[in-house]
Amino acid sequence: MIKAKNLYFKFEEDFVLKNVNLEIKEGRFIVVIGANGSGKTTLAKHFNALLLPAKGDVLVDGVSTRKDEFNARRKVGFV
């Protein structure tokens, strides 16, 4: 399971993700849609710890990406 709790992320001084909360259960497929520059790729990069939150947390199988980046990357693919 992937879970984002109160996720915030900013580039320089501007927040591009603000208070994102979601839960993706194992075996589920989701689609994230939006305009160019709306934060879709930024959100996806948090799921495998390519980016880390400014505030909040992202959990992969119950483990925080902040605390164990290596194992998060092993569990979540990104194409």
Coordinates of all heavy atoms in Angstrom, one line a residue:
M1 N 0.8 -1.2 0.0 CA 0.0 0.0 0.0 C 0.9 1.2 0.0 O 1.9 1.3 0.6 CB -0.9 0.0 1.2 CG -1.7 1.3 1.3 SD -2.8 1.5 2.7 CE -3.0 0.0 3.5
I2 N 0.5 2.2 -0.7 CA 1.1 3.5 -0.7 C 0.2 4.5 -0.1 O -1.0 4.6 -0.5 CB 1.5 4.0 -2.1 CG1 2.5 3.0 -2.8 CG2 2.1 5.4 -2.1 CD1 2.7 3.3 -4.2
K3 N 0.7 5.3 0.8 CA -0.2 6.3 1.5 C 0.6 7.6 1.7 O 1.7 7.6 2.1 CB -0.5 5.7 2.9 CG -1.5 6.4 3.7 CD -1.8 5.7 5.0 CE -3.2 6.0 5.5 NZ -3.5 5.2 6.7
A4 N -0.1 8.7 1.3 CA 0.4 10.0 1.5 C -0.4 10.7 2.6 O -1.6 10.6 2.5 CB 0.3 10.8 0.2
K5 N 0.3 11.2 3.5 CA -0.4 11.9 4.7 C 0.1 13.3 4.8 O 1.3 13.6 5.0 CB -0.1 11.1 6.0 CG -0.7 9.7 5.9 CD -0.5 8.9 7.2 CE 0.5 9.3 8.2 NZ 0.6 8.3 9.3
N6 N -0.8 14.3 4.5 CA -0.5 15.7 4.6 C 0.8 16.1 3.9 O 1.6 16.8 4.4 CB -0.4 16.1 6.1 CG -1.7 15.8 6.9 OD1 -2.8 16.0 6.4 ND2 -1.5 15.2 8.1
L7 N 0.9 15.6 2.7 CA 2.1 15.8 1.9 C 2.2 17.2 1.3 O 1.2 17.7 0.7 CB 2.1 14.8 0.7 CG 3.2 14.9 -0.4 CD1 4.5 14.7 0.2 CD2 2.9 13.9 -1.5
Y8 N 3.3 17.8 1.5 CA 3.6 19.1 1.0 C 5.0 19.0 0.3 O 5.9 18.4 0.8 CB 3.7 20.2 2.1 CG 2.4 20.7 2.7 CD1 1.7 19.9 3.6 CD2 1.8 21.8 2.2 CE1 0.6 20.3 4.2 CE2 0.6 22.3 2.8 CZ 0.0 21.5 3.7 OH -1.2 22.0 4.3
F9 N 5.1 19.7 -0.8 CA 6.4 19.8 -1.5 C 6.5 21.1 -2.2 O 5.6 21.6 -2.8 CB 6.6 18.6 -2.5 CG 7.9 18.6 -3.1 CD1 9.0 18.1 -2.5 CD2 8.1 19.1 -4.4 CE1 10.3 18.1 -3.0 CE2 9.4 19.1 -5.0 CZ 10.4 18.6 -4.3
K10 N 7.7 21.7 -2.2 CA 7.9 22.9 -2.9 C 9.2 22.9 -3.7 O 10.2 22.3 -3.3 CB 7.9 24.1 -1.9 CG 9.0 24.2 -0.9 CD 8.8 25.4 0.0 CE 9.9 25.4 1.1 NZ 9.7 26.6 1.9
F11 N 9.1 23.6 -4.8 CA 10.3 24.0 -5.6 C 10.6 25.4 -5.3 O 9.7 26.3 -5.4 CB 10.0 23.8 -7.1 CG 9.9 22.4 -7.6 CD1 8.8 21.8 -8.0 CD2 11.1 21.6 -7.5 CE1 8.7 20.5 -8.5 CE2 11.0 20.3 -8.0 CZ 9.9 19.8 -8.5
E12 N 11.8 25.6 -4.8 CA 12.3 27.0 -4.4 C 11.3 27.5 -3.3 O 11.2 26.8 -2.3 CB 12.4 27.9 -5.6 CG 13.5 27.4 -6.5 CD 13.6 28.3 -7.7 OE1 13.0 29.4 -7.8 OE2 14.4 27.9 -8.6
E13 N 10.5 28.5 -3.6 CA 9.6 29.1 -2.5 C 8.2 28.7 -2.7 O 7.3 29.0 -1.9 CB 9.8 30.6 -2.5 CG 11.2 31.0 -2.0 CD 11.6 30.5 -0.6 OE1 10.7 30.6 0.3 OE2 12.7 30.1 -0.5
D14 N 7.8 28.1 -3.9 CA 6.4 27.8 -4.2 C 6.1 26.3 -3.9 O 6.7 25.4 -4.4 CB 6.2 28.1 -5.7 CG 6.4 29.6 -6.0 OD1 6.1 30.4 -5.2 OD2 6.9 29.8 -7.1
F15 N 5.0 26.2 -3.1 CA 4.5 24.8 -2.9 C 3.8 24.3 -4.2 O 2.9 25.0 -4.7 CB 3.5 24.8 -1.7 CG 4.2 24.7 -0.4 CD1 4.3 25.9 0.3 CD2 4.7 23.5 0.1 CE1 5.0 25.9 1.6 CE2 5.3 23.5 1.3 CZ 5.5 24.7 2.0
V16 N 4.1 23.1 -4.7 CA 3.4 22.6 -5.8 C 2.5 21.4 -5.4 O 1.6 21.1 -6.1 CB 4.4 22.1 -6.9 CG1 5.1 23.2 -7.5 CG2 5.4 21.1 -6.3
L17 N 2.8 20.8 -4.2 CA 1.8 19.9 -3.6 C 1.5 20.4 -2.2 O 2.4 20.8 -1.5 CB 2.5 18.5 -3.5 CG 2.9 17.8 -4.7 CD1 3.6 16.5 -4.4 CD2 1.8 17.6 -5.7
K18 N 0.2 20.5 -2.0 CA -0.3 21.1 -0.7 C -1.3 20.1 -0.1 O -2.4 19.9 -0.7 CB -0.9 22.4 -0.9 CG 0.0 23.5 -1.5 CD -0.8 24.7 -1.7 CE 0.0 25.7 -2.6 NZ -0.7 26.9 -2.9
N19 N -1.0 19.6 1.1 CA -1.9 18.8 1.9 C -2.5 17.6 1.1 O -3.8 17.5 1.1 CB -3.0 19.7 2.5 CG -3.7 19.0 3.7 OD1 -3.0 18.2 4.4 ND2 -4.9 19.3 3.9
V20 N -1.7 16.9 0.4 CA -2.2 15.7 -0.4 C -2.3 14.5 0.6 O -1.4 14.2 1.3 CB -1.2 15.4 -1.5 CG1 -1.6 14.1 -2.2 CG2 -1.1 16.6 -2.5
N21 N -3.5 13.9 0.5 CA -3.8 12.7 1.3 C -4.4 11.7 0.4 O -5.4 12.0 -0.3 CB -4.8 13.1 2.4 CG -4.2 14.0 3.5 OD1 -3.5 13.5 4.3 ND2 -4.5 15.2 3.4
L22 N -3.8 10.5 0.3 CA -4.4 9.5 -0.5 C -3.9 8.1 -0.1 O -2.9 8.0 0.6 CB -4.1 9.7 -2.0 CG -2.6 9.7 -2.5 CD1 -2.1 8.3 -2.7 CD2 -2.5 10.5 -3.8
E23 N -4.6 7.1 -0.5 CA -4.2 5.7 -0.1 C -4.4 4.9 -1.4 O -5.5 4.9 -1.9 CB -5.1 5.3 1.0 CG -4.7 3.9 1.5 CD -5.5 3.5 2.7 OE1 -5.5 4.3 3.8 OE2 -6.3 2.5 2.7
I24 N -3.4 4.2 -1.8 CA -3.5 3.3 -2.9 C -3.2 1.9 -2.4 O -2.1 1.5 -2.0 CB -2.4 3.6 -4.0 CG1 -2.5 5.1 -4.4 CG2 -2.6 2.7 -5.2 CD1 -1.4 5.6 -5.3
K25 N -4.2 1.1 -2.5 CA -4.1 -0.3 -1.9 C -3.5 -1.2 -2.9 O -3.5 -1.0 -4.2 CB -5.5 -0.8 -1.6 CG -6.1 -0.1 -0.4 CD -7.5 -0.6 0.0 CE -8.0 0.2 1.1 NZ -9.3 -0.2 1.6
E26 N -2.8 -2.2 -2.4 CA -2.1 -3.2 -3.3 C -3.0 -3.8 -4.3 O -4.2 -4.1 -4.0 CB -1.5 -4.3 -2.4 CG -0.6 -5.2 -3.2 CD 0.1 -6.2 -2.3 OE1 0.1 -6.0 -1.0 OE2 0.6 -7.2 -2.8
G27 N -2.5 -3.9 -5.6 CA -3.3 -4.5 -6.6 C -4.2 -3.5 -7.4 O -4.8 -3.8 -8.3
R28 N -4.3 -2.3 -6.9 CA -5.1 -1.2 -7.5 C -4.4 -0.5 -8.5 O -3.2 -0.3 -8.4 CB -5.7 -0.3 -6.5 CG -6.5 -0.9 -5.4 CD -7.9 -1.2 -6.1 NE -8.8 -1.7 -5.1 CZ -10.0 -1.3 -5.0 NH1 -10.5 -0.4 -5.8 NH2 -10.8 -1.8 -4.1
F29 N -5.1 0.0 -9.5 CA -4.5 1.0 -10.5 C -5.2 2.3 -10.4 O -6.4 2.3 -10.1 CB -4.8 0.4 -11.9 CG -4.0 -0.8 -12.2 CD1 -4.5 -2.1 -12.0 CD2 -2.7 -0.7 -12.8 CE1 -3.8 -3.2 -12.3 CE2 -2.0 -1.8 -13.1 CZ -2.5 -3.1 -12.8
I30 N -4.4 3.4 -10.4 CA -5.0 4.7 -10.4 C -4.5 5.5 -11.6 O -3.5 5.2 -12.2 CB -4.7 5.4 -9.1 CG1 -3.2 5.7 -8.9 CG2 -5.2 4.7 -7.9 CD1 -2.9 6.8 -8.0
V31 N -5.3 6.5 -11.9 CA -4.9 7.5 -12.9 C -4.9 8.9 -12.3 O -5.8 9.2 -11.6 CB -5.9 7.5 -14.1 CG1 -5.5 8.5 -15.1 CG2 -5.9 6.1 -14.7
V32 N -3.8 9.6 -12.5 CA -3.7 11.0 -12.1 C -3.7 11.9 -13.3 O -2.8 11.7 -14.1 CB -2.4 11.2 -11.2 CG1 -2.3 12.6 -10.8 CG2 -2.4 10.3 -10.0
I33 N -4.7 12.7 -13.4 CA -4.7 13.6 -14.6 C -4.7 15.0 -14.2 O -5.0 15.4 -13.1 CB -6.0 13.3 -15.4 CG1 -7.3 13.5 -14.6 CG2 -6.0 11.9 -16.0 CD1 -8.5 13.4 -15.4
G34 N -4.2 15.9 -15.1 CA -4.2 17.3 -14.9 C -3.4 18.0 -15.9 O -2.7 17.3 -16.8
A35 N -3.4 19.3 -15.9 CA -2.7 20.1 -16.9 C -1.2 20.0 -16.7 O -0.7 19.5 -15.6 CB -3.1 21.6 -16.7
N36 N -0.4 20.4 -17.7 CA 1.0 20.4 -17.6 C 1.4 21.3 -16.4 O 0.8 22.4 -16.2 CB 1.7 21.0 -18.8 CG 1.6 20.1 -20.0 OD1 1.3 18.9 -19.9 ND2 1.9 20.6 -21.2
G37 N 2.3 20.9 -15.6 CA 2.8 21.6 -14.5 C 1.9 21.6 -13.2 O 2.1 22.3 -12.3
S38 N 1.0 20.7 -13.2 CA 0.0 20.6 -12.1 C 0.5 19.7 -10.9 O -0.1 19.7 -9.9 CB -1.3 20.1 -12.5 OG -1.3 18.8 -13.0
G39 N 1.7 19.0 -11.1 CA 2.3 18.2 -10.0 C 2.1 16.7 -10.1 O 2.5 16.0 -9.2
K40 N 1.7 16.2 -11.2 CA 1.5 14.8 -11.4 C 2.8 14.0 -11.2 O 2.9 13.0 -10.5 CB 0.9 14.4 -12.8 CG -0.4 15.1 -13.0 CD -0.9 14.8 -14.5 CE 0.0 15.3 -15.5 NZ 0.1 16.7 -15.7
T41 N 3.8 14.4 -12.0 CA 5.1 13.7 -11.9 C 5.8 13.9 -10.5 O 6.4 13.0 -10.0 CB 6.0 14.2 -13.0 OG1 5.4 13.9 -14.3 CG2 7.4 13.5 -13.0
T42 N 5.6 15.1 -10.0 CA 6.2 15.4 -8.7 C 5.5 14.5 -7.6 O 6.2 13.9 -6.8 CB 5.9 16.9 -8.3 OG1 6.5 17.7 -9.3 CG2 6.4 17.2 -6.9
L43 N 4.2 14.2 -7.7 CA 3.6 13.3 -6.8 C 4.1 11.9 -7.0 O 4.5 11.2 -6.0 CB 2.1 13.3 -7.0 CG 1.2 12.4 -6.2 CD1 1.3 12.6 -4.7 CD2 -0.2 12.4 -6.7
A44 N 4.2 11.4 -8.2 CA 4.7 10.1 -8.5 C 6.1 9.9 -8.0 O 6.4 8.8 -7.5 CB 4.6 9.8 -10.0
K45 N 6.9 10.9 -8.1 CA 8.3 10.7 -7.7 C 8.4 10.6 -6.1 O 9.4 10.1 -5.6 CB 9.2 11.9 -8.1 CG 9.5 11.9 -9.6 CD 10.3 13.0 -10.0 CE 10.7 12.9 -11.5 NZ 11.6 14.0 -11.9
H46 N 7.4 11.0 -5.4 CA 7.4 10.8 -4.0 C 7.1 9.4 -3.6 O 7.5 8.9 -2.6 CB 6.3 11.7 -3.3 CG 6.8 13.1 -3.1 ND1 6.8 14.0 -4.1 CD2 7.3 13.7 -2.0 CE1 7.3 15.2 -3.6 NE2 7.6 15.0 -2.3
F47 N 6.4 8.6 -4.5 CA 6.1 7.2 -4.2 C 7.3 6.3 -4.1 O 7.3 5.3 -3.5 CB 5.0 6.7 -5.2 CG 3.7 7.4 -5.2 CD1 2.9 7.4 -6.3 CD2 3.3 8.1 -4.1 CE1 1.7 8.1 -6.3 CE2 2.1 8.8 -4.1 CZ 1.3 8.8 -5.2
N48 N 8.3 6.7 -4.9 CA 9.5 5.8 -4.8 C 10.7 6.6 -4.3 O 11.9 6.3 -4.6 CB 9.8 5.1 -6.1 CG 10.1 6.1 -7.3 OD1 10.1 7.3 -7.1 ND2 10.5 5.5 -8.4
A49 N 10.5 7.7 -3.5 CA 11.5 8.4 -2.8 C 12.5 9.1 -3.7 O 13.6 9.4 -3.3 CB 12.2 7.5 -1.8
L50 N 12.2 9.4 -5.0 CA 13.0 10.2 -5.8 C 13.0 11.6 -5.3 O 13.9 12.4 -5.5 CB 12.6 10.1 -7.3 CG 12.9 8.8 -8.0 CD1 12.4 8.8 -9.4 CD2 14.4 8.5 -8.0
L51 N 11.8 12.0 -4.7 CA 11.7 13.3 -4.0 C 11.2 13.0 -2.6 O 10.4 12.0 -2.4 CB 10.7 14.2 -4.7 CG 11.1 14.7 -6.1 CD1 9.9 15.4 -6.8 CD2 12.3 15.6 -6.1
L52 N 11.5 13.8 -1.7 CA 11.1 13.6 -0.3 C 10.2 14.9 0.1 O 10.5 16.0 -0.3 CB 12.2 13.5 0.6 CG 13.1 12.3 0.4 CD1 14.4 12.3 1.3 CD2 12.3 11.0 0.5
P53 N 9.2 14.6 0.9 CA 8.3 15.7 1.3 C 9.0 16.8 2.1 O 9.9 16.6 2.9 CB 7.3 15.0 2.2 CG 7.4 13.6 2.0 CD 8.8 13.4 1.5
A54 N 8.5 18.1 1.9 CA 8.9 19.2 2.7 C 8.2 19.1 4.1 O 8.7 19.4 5.1 CB 8.5 20.5 2.0
K55 N 6.9 18.6 4.0 CA 6.1 18.3 5.2 C 5.3 17.1 4.9 O 5.0 16.8 3.8 CB 5.1 19.5 5.5 CG 5.7 20.8 5.9 CD 4.6 21.7 6.3 CE 5.0 23.2 6.0 NZ 3.8 24.1 6.3
G56 N 4.8 16.5 6.0 CA 4.0 15.3 5.8 C 4.8 14.0 5.6 O 6.0 14.0 5.9
D57 N 4.2 13.0 5.1 CA 4.9 11.7 5.0 C 4.3 10.9 3.8 O 3.1 11.0 3.5 CB 4.8 10.9 6.3 CG 5.9 10.0 6.5 OD1 6.9 9.9 5.7 OD2 5.9 9.3 7.5
V58 N 5.1 10.1 3.2 CA 4.7 9.1 2.3 C 5.2 7.7 2.8 O 6.3 7.5 3.2 CB 5.3 9.3 0.9 CG1 5.0 8.2 -0.1 CG2 4.9 10.7 0.3
L59 N 4.2 6.8 2.9 CA 4.5 5.4 3.4 C 4.3 4.4 2.3 O 3.3 4.4 1.6 CB 3.5 5.1 4.5 CG 3.5 6.1 5.7 CD1 2.4 5.7 6.6 CD2 4.8 6.0 6.5
V60 N 5.3 3.5 2.2 CA 5.2 2.4 1.2 C 5.2 1.1 2.1 O 6.2 0.9 2.8 CB 6.4 2.4 0.2 CG1 6.3 1.2 -0.7 CG2 6.4 3.7 -0.6
D61 N 4.2 0.4 2.1 CA 4.0 -0.8 2.9 C 4.3 -0.5 4.4 O 5.0 -1.2 5.1 CB 4.9 -1.9 2.4 CG 4.3 -2.6 1.1 OD1 3.1 -2.4 0.9 OD2 5.1 -3.2 0.4
G62 N 3.9 0.7 4.8 CA 4.0 1.1 6.2 C 5.4 1.7 6.6 O 5.6 2.1 7.7
V63 N 6.3 1.8 5.6 CA 7.6 2.4 5.9 C 7.7 3.8 5.3 O 7.4 3.9 4.1 CB 8.7 1.5 5.4 CG1 10.1 2.1 5.6 CG2 8.6 0.1 6.0
S64 N 8.2 4.7 6.1 CA 8.3 6.1 5.6 C 9.4 6.2 4.6 O 10.5 5.7 4.8 CB 8.6 7.0 6.8 OG 9.0 8.3 6.3
T65 N 9.2 6.9 3.4 CA 10.2 7.1 2.4 C 11.4 7.9 3.0 O 12.5 7.8 2.5 CB 9.7 7.8 1.2 OG1 9.0 9.0 1.5 CG2 8.7 6.8 0.5
R66 N 11.1 8.8 4.0 CA 12.1 9.6 4.6 C 13.1 8.7 5.4 O 14.3 9.0 5.4 CB 11.5 10.6 5.6 CG 10.8 11.7 5.0 CD 10.2 12.5 6.1 NE 9.3 13.5 5.7 CZ 9.6 14.8 5.8 NH1 10.6 15.2 6.4 NH2 8.7 15.7 5.4
K67 N 12.6 7.6 6.0 CA 13.5 6.8 6.8 C 14.1 5.7 6.1 O 15.2 5.2 6.5 CB 12.6 6.2 8.0 CG 12.1 7.3 8.9 CD 11.2 6.7 10.0 CE 10.7 7.8 10.8 NZ 9.7 7.3 11.8
D68 N 13.6 5.2 5.0 CA 14.1 4.0 4.3 C 13.9 4.2 2.7 O 13.1 3.5 2.1 CB 13.4 2.8 4.8 CG 14.2 1.5 4.4 OD1 15.2 1.6 3.6 OD2 13.8 0.4 4.8
E69 N 14.6 5.2 2.2 CA 14.5 5.4 0.7 C 14.8 4.2 -0.1 O 14.2 4.0 -1.1 CB 15.5 6.6 0.3 CG 15.2 7.9 1.0 CD 16.3 8.9 0.7 OE1 16.7 9.0 -0.5 OE2 16.6 9.6 1.6
F70 N 15.8 3.5 0.3 CA 16.3 2.3 -0.5 C 15.2 1.3 -0.7 O 14.9 0.9 -1.8 CB 17.5 1.7 0.1 CG 18.0 0.5 -0.6 CD1 18.7 0.6 -1.8 CD2 17.8 -0.8 -0.1 CE1 19.2 -0.5 -2.5 CE2 18.2 -1.9 -0.8 CZ 18.9 -1.8 -2.0
N71 N 14.5 0.9 0.3 CA 13.5 -0.1 0.2 C 12.2 0.4 -0.5 O 11.5 -0.3 -1.1 CB 13.2 -0.7 1.6 CG 14.2 -1.8 2.0 OD1 14.6 -2.6 1.2 ND2 14.6 -1.7 3.2
A72 N 12.0 1.7 -0.3 CA 10.8 2.3 -1.0 C 11.0 2.2 -2.5 O 10.1 1.8 -3.3 CB 10.6 3.7 -0.6
R73 N 12.3 2.5 -3.0 CA 12.6 2.4 -4.4 C 12.5 1.0 -4.9 O 12.2 0.8 -6.1 CB 14.0 3.0 -4.6 CG 14.0 4.5 -4.4 CD 15.3 5.1 -4.8 NE 15.3 6.5 -4.5 CZ 16.2 7.1 -3.8 NH1 17.3 6.5 -3.4 NH2 16.1 8.4 -3.6
R74 N 12.8 0.0 -4.1 CA 12.7 -1.4 -4.5 C 11.3 -1.8 -4.7 O 11.0 -2.8 -5.4 CB 13.4 -2.3 -3.5 CG 14.9 -2.1 -3.5 CD 15.6 -2.9 -2.5 NE 15.3 -4.3 -2.8 CZ 15.7 -5.3 -2.1 NH1 16.2 -5.1 -0.9 NH2 15.4 -6.6 -2.4
K75 N 10.3 -1.2 -4.0 CA 8.9 -1.7 -4.0 C 8.1 -1.0 -5.0 O 7.0 -1.4 -5.3 CB 8.3 -1.5 -2.6 CG 9.0 -2.4 -1.5 CD 8.4 -2.1 -0.2 CE 9.0 -3.0 0.9 NZ 8.2 -4.1 1.3
V76 N 8.5 0.2 -5.5 CA 7.7 1.0 -6.3 C 8.4 1.3 -7.6 O 9.5 1.9 -7.6 CB 7.3 2.4 -5.7 CG1 6.5 3.2 -6.6 CG2 6.6 2.2 -4.4
G77 N 7.8 0.8 -8.7 CA 8.4 1.1 -10.1 C 8.0 2.4 -10.6 O 7.0 3.0 -10.2
F78 N 8.8 3.0 -11.5 CA 8.5 4.3 -12.1 C 8.9 4.2 -13.6 O 10.1 4.0 -13.8 CB 9.2 5.4 -11.4 CG 8.8 6.8 -11.8 CD1 7.7 7.3 -11.3 CD2 9.6 7.5 -12.6 CE1 7.3 8.6 -11.6 CE2 9.3 8.8 -13.0 CZ 8.1 9.3 -12.5
V79 N 8.0 4.4 -14.5 CA 8.3 4.4 -15.9 C 8.0 5.8 -16.5 O 7.0 6.3 -16.2 CB 7.5 3.3 -16.6 CG1 7.8 3.3 -18.1 CG2 7.8 2.0 -16.1

